[in-house]
């Protein structure tokens, strides 16, 4: 088995597992939203954090990173088990087409796995649903859990998308609203951007990350997610 996984949240900047190839690109007819609860990392059951999920939206695109895992059943099994533990708040896996060139009609990859969540508060205990921007910002600004606070997550999300040259207006707007709640004036630092997707080598130059046992893996991911 060889699989590709699409990351649109913390996987963009912190995959946390050993992979063989990385591509920057997008999927169609989905948009990134902060409608999912996190109750064990950056929030609690009493005061959940908000984290990214995908909302089906005709004509929308969502940029992120796709990772390929190959090298034998054991390696692939370990990577998927790690991802399933990490993405435990997502109740579905969806197969999507992945594109690397803007306005392309032909996907670079098909059958790419993406973790999604059912938008149903009755059948999905982690689904919070949409809320007014100001309300979401207050929740993100004040939520925290065993592994850190929620505000750091959205600021890292904003910066990661800036770094791949595909900023998300929704994320920028929400991050700025969080800054307003916190009384922060500066925005994401305008550092040098990465190369465009067509200039990025298919082979990852990131050193492989050793897959840790569950307790250490959760702690390591939370420190940088």
């Amino acid at each position: 088995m060889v699989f590709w996984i699409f990351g649109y949240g913390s996987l963009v900047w912190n995959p946390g597992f050993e992979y063989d190839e990385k591509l920057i690109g997008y999927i169609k007819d989905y948009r990134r939203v902060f409608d999912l609860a996190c109750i064990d990392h950056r929030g609690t059951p009493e005061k959940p954090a908000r984290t990214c999920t995908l909302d089906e939206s005709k004509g929308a695109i969502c940029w992120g990173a796709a990772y390929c895992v190959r090298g034998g059943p054991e390696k692939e099994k370990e990577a998927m088990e790690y991802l399933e533990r990490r993405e435990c708040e997502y109740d579905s896996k969806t197969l999507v087409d992945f594109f690397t060139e803007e306005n392309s009609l032909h996907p670079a990859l098909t059958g790419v796995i993406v973790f999604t969540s059912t938008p149903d508060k009755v059948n999905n205990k982690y689904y919070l649903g949409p809320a007014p921007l100001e309300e979401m910002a207050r929740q993100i600004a004040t939520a925290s859990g065993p592994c850190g606070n929620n505000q750091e997550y959205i600021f890292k999300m904003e910066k990661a998308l800036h770094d791949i040259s595909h900023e998300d207006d929704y994320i920028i707007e929400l991050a700025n609203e969080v800054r307003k709640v916190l009384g922060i004036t500066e925005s994401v630092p305008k550092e040098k951007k990465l190369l465009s997707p067509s200039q990025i080598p298919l082979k990852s130059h990131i050193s492989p990350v050793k897959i840790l046992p569950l307790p250490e893996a959760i702690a390591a991911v939370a420190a940088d997610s």
Side-chain angles (χ1 to χ4, degrees):
M1 180 182 77
V2 174
F3 70 83
W4 284 86
I5 185 86
F6 178 69
Y8 56 91
S10 62
L11 288 176
V12 176
W13 72 87
N14 179 35
F17 61 95
E18 186 178 349
Y19 61 89
D20 298 282
E21 262 184 77
K22 176 183 178 181
L23 290 174
I24 300 300
Y26 63 93
I27 60 175
K28 294 184 177 182
D29 299 327
Y30 287 96
R31 65 187 184 99
R32 189 183 286 105
V33 293
F34 263 69
D35 291 353
L36 198 66
C38 176
I39 62 173
D40 55 356
H41 284 66
R42 296 184 180 272
T44 64
E46 297 75 27
K47 196 169 184 179
R50 277 187 177 261
T51 190
C52 283
T53 186
L54 292 176
D55 180 46
E56 290 188 55
S57 180
K58 187 69 175 176
I61 64 172
C62 180
W63 283 88
Y67 301 93
C68 177
V69 179
R70 64 170 70 92
E74 188 60 31
K75 177 183 173 183
E76 293 148 16
K77 179 173 178 287
E78 285 181 357
M80 183 53 70
E81 287 177 348
Y82 165 80
L83 287 164
E84 288 174 342
R85 291 194 301 267
R86 174 170 168 172
E87 308 297 313
C88 61
E89 285 140 353
Y90 299 83
D91 62 349
S92 301
K93 293 191 196 80
T94 303
L95 298 180
V96 295
D97 292 340
F98 177 82
F99 300 81
T100 55
E101 299 295 331
E102 293 190 59
N103 304 315
S104 175
L105 298 177
H106 306 290
L109 300 166
T110 60
V112 176
I113 301 167
V114 60
F115 284 86
T116 57
S117 57
T118 305
D120 184 337
K121 293 183 180 180
V122 175
N123 296 312
N124 182 359
K125 65 179 181 179
Y126 295 111
Y127 183 69
L128 297 174
L133 189 72
E134 297 81 3
E135 181 181 323
M136 289 196 295
R138 285 194 299 270
Q139 185 175 356
I140 293 168
T142 57
S144 62
C147 302
N149 61 56
N150 198 187
Q151 59 189 259
E152 184 181 34
Y153 177 90
I154 191 166
F155 294 150
K156 286 188 174 183
M157 179 80 265
E158 180 187 32
K159 183 178 185 302
L161 295 174
H162 168 79
D163 287 348
I164 65 170
S165 303
H166 291 287
E167 294 171 317
D168 184 322
D169 289 342
Y170 167 81
I171 297 297
I172 293 171
E173 186 179 16
L174 183 53
N176 283 335
E177 193 67 29
V178 172
R179 289 187 183 94
K180 189 186 299 183
V181 173
L182 296 169
I184 299 173
T185 56
E186 73 270 16
S187 60
V188 61
K190 298 302 181 182
E191 298 173 355
K192 184 178 179 181
K193 295 182 179 181
L194 299 181
L195 297 174
S196 66
S198 62
Q199 296 172 297
I200 295 175
L202 295 187
K203 201 69 176 178
S204 170
H205 292 290
I206 298 175
S207 299
V209 177
K210 181 180 179 182
I211 297 176
L212 303 173
L214 179 56
E216 290 100 335
I218 291 175
V221 168
D224 198 29
S225 63

